[in-house]
């Protein structure tokens, strides 16, 4: 028995029953006796229908077959409605025209392979062994120090021949020396491979399964770019967290990759749980009913999608249609010159526009005031669309010297620069008089006129 089948038996608690008995047991259960309804939602991009994936299992842990559109009731926020037959797609396990295409993204940094290499490889091999003829699998491996970085070690290969399957297994087992985690770069490679496969992929679910400890320290691409790339192309990312997930931000990244792309996160701190995670993902992808719902929601607010199966309790999840815009329109501050050393200066007031939700605000070498009410702070905070802001600073303590304050809002920065006057010049914002060569000349001319007047009088 493969690791994957043993894991499936552990999950269902029916390891002693033969497979045929499971199906017989499932067929004898009458009425709405579902033990679990699992739901995941892909709602991005906003110009495409919402896709809800529903897995229903009975009290024996066996996926329920034979459901129809009439079996489902949908709720989006406060709107409750049924679905039409055309809006329901049967799972691959029930529809021979639906075939799975999956990319396995495998972390070969030392923090993972030193503790979970064999378990990771065995679980992927077992997953491939359980795939059906006509389905497709590819393998991406990654670490930063390897000359290939993040690369496709096995392109999409059809599951139908001994030679093809063995090529995939060989790629899974092959070494990939190096260290350093560049998982976001690997996911970009995986998504692009799905978008540009060597041959057309079959109809059916497409997904990426990532196994890593999430401690990305070498990627060039940003997480937000991966979220957008995967979501825009309806490619869910399932993540399996192994090893030490205590590195700041590691587990959060693994969770976000799942939630932001319509996938799911599975923590697997022990070797046995690695196999459990893969079998759960396999069950999801092969037994999910796909409900496609067109609607007019296009804002960036959080909404809720609920599904009720044959009168059972509703299961719901939050979803968003797109990422809220937190990047404001460009703004600027006018420089000031001629200030006295250490003079306090306040910039002009600007109004922040172009953001949909409060954006992060921070300042360097100065302070800012939201509302320009005389109360300034140096602490990071948030600012909303339509609010005003100005910055303040104490000018340089040197003559003829400049100082710059930088305000950043939602990734957009603007600077406020002050320049002090020259030594000996007048103060007060660039004004001044009665000094320098011009003043001396005027004084000498005045004395000359006075002396000439006295001589004439004499």
């Amino acid at each position: 028995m493969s690791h994957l089948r043993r894991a499936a038996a552990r999950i269902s608690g029916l390891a002693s029953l033969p497979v045929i008995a499971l199906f017989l047991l499932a067929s004898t259960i009458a009425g709405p006796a579902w033990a679990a309804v699992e739901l995941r939602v892909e709602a991005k991009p906003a110009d495409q229908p919402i896709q809800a994936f529903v897995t229903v299992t009975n009290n024996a842990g066996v996926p329920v077959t034979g459901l129809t559109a009439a079996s489902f009731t949908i709720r989006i926020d406060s709107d409750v409605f049924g679905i039409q037959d055309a809006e329901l797609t049967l799972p691959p396990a029930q529809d021979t025209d639906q075939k799975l295409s999956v990319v396995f993204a495998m972390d070969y940094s030392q923090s993972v392979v030193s503790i979970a290499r064999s378990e990771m490889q065995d679980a992927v091999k077992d997953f491939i062994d359980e795939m059906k003829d006509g389905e497709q699998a590819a393998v991406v491996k990654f670490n930063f120090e390897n000359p290939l970085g993040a690369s496709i070690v096995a392109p999409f290969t059809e599951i139908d021949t001994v030679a093809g399957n063995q090529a995939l297994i060989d790629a899974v087992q092959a070494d990939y020396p190096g260290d350093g985690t560049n998982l976001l770069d690997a996911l970009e490679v995986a998504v692009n491979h799905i978008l540009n496969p060597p041959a057309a992929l079959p109809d059916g679910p497409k997904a990426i399964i990532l196994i890593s400890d999430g401690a990305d320290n070498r990627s060039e691409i940003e997480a937000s770019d991966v979220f957008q790339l995967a979501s825009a192309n309806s490619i869910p990312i399932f993540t399996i967290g192994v090893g030490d997930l205590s590195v700041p931000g590691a587990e959060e990244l693994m969770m976000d990759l799942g939630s932001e792309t319509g996938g799911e996160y599975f923590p697997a701190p022990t070797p046995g749980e690695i196999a459990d995670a893969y079998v759960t993902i396999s069950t999801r992808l092969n037994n999910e009913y796909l409900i496609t719902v067109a609607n007019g929601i296009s804002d960036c607010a959080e909404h809720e999608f609920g599904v009720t199966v044959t009168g059972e309790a509703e299961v719901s999840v939050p979803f968003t249609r797109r990422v809220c815009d937190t990047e404001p329109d460009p703004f600027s501050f006018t420089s000031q010159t001629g200030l006295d050393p250490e003079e306090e200066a306040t910039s002009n007031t600007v109004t922040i526009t172009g953001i949909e939700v409060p954006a992060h605000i921070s300042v360097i070498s100065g302070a800012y005031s939201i509302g320009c009410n005389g109360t300034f702070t140096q602490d990071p905070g948030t600012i909303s669309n339509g609010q005003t802001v100005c910055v303040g600073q104490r000018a340089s303590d040197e003559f003829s010297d400049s100082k710059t304050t930088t305000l950043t809002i939602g990734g957009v920065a603007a600077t406020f620069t002050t320049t002090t006057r020259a030594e000996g010049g007048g103060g007060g914002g660039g004004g001044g008089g009665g000094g320098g060569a011009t003043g001396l000349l005027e004084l000498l001319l005045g004395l000359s006129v006075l002396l000439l007047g006295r001589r004439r009088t004499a």
Side-chain angles (χ1 to χ4, degrees), residues 87-253:
E87 296 174 311
L88 180 68
T89 302
L90 295 178
Q94 300 180 51
D95 183 354
T96 56
D97 292 331
Q98 296 289 312
K99 300 184 185 301
L100 175 64
S101 299
V102 61
V103 179
F104 300 98
M106 304 173 69
D107 187 341
Y108 271 72
S109 63
Q110 290 304 305
S111 59
V112 172
V113 298
S114 63
I115 61 171
R117 173 174 174 167
S118 61
E119 291 80 8
M120 172 174 63
Q121 292 180 165
D122 288 344
V124 173
K125 287 187 296 180
D126 289 343
F127 194 111
I128 292 171
D129 286 340
E130 296 296 320
M131 294 179 73
K132 300 187 296 292
D133 287 354
E135 295 186 326
Q136 298 265 349
V139 180
V140 169
K141 292 185 177 181
F142 61 94
N143 67 56
F144 178 76
E145 293 179 354
N146 189 284
L148 298 176
S151 66
I152 302 166
V153 297
F156 272 118
T157 302
E158 184 175 348
I159 306 296
D160 66 347
T161 64
V162 174
N165 292 6
Q166 190 58 51
L168 286 168
I169 299 301
D170 290 343
V172 170
Q173 293 179 310
D175 195 16
Y176 202 79
D179 199 8
T181 305
N182 51 342
L183 72 87
L184 293 173
D185 290 346
L187 292 174
E188 181 183 30
V189 170
V191 173
N192 285 328
H193 191 52
I194 293 176
L195 298 179
N196 302 284
L201 297 175
D203 292 336
K206 298 168 180 60
I208 296 169
I209 304 175
L210 165 72
I211 183 167
S212 176
D213 60 7
D216 193 316
N217 53 17
R218 294 291 189 174
S219 287
E220 295 183 3
I221 192 171
E222 297 292 332
S224 58
D225 295 326
V226 173
F227 300 157
Q228 183 175 0
L229 180 63
S231 297
N233 293 283
S234 298
I235 300 173
I237 300 173
F238 294 86
T239 59
I240 302 172
V242 298
D244 182 10
L245 294 165
S246 65
V247 175
E251 189 165 35
E252 181 181 4
L253 174 60

Side-chain angles (χ1 to χ4, degrees), residues 261-349:
T261 64
E264 195 170 351
Y265 167 63
F266 299 86
T270 66
E273 287 173 305
I274 294 175
D276 290 348
Y278 275 98
V279 75
T280 301
I281 296 170
S282 177
T283 300
R284 293 272 204 280
L285 293 174
N286 281 291
N287 294 280
E288 289 175 323
Y289 291 86
L290 169 59
I291 299 172
T292 304
V293 182
N295 71 88
I297 298 176
S298 61
D299 58 46
C300 69
E302 184 174 273
H303 298 272
E304 188 172 59
F305 190 103
V307 60
T308 302
V309 183
T310 59
E312 294 298 305
E314 181 190 79
V315 175
S316 64
V317 296
F319 72 91
T320 56
R321 293 295 265 153
R322 59 182 176 83
V323 177
C324 293
D325 187 1
T326 58
E327 182 176 301
D329 297 329
F331 59 96
S332 61
F333 299 111
T334 303
S335 299
Q336 296 180 12
T337 60
L339 277 71
D340 289 328
E342 296 191 319
E343 183 179 342
E344 298 289 345
T346 300
S347 73
N348 55 295
T349 299

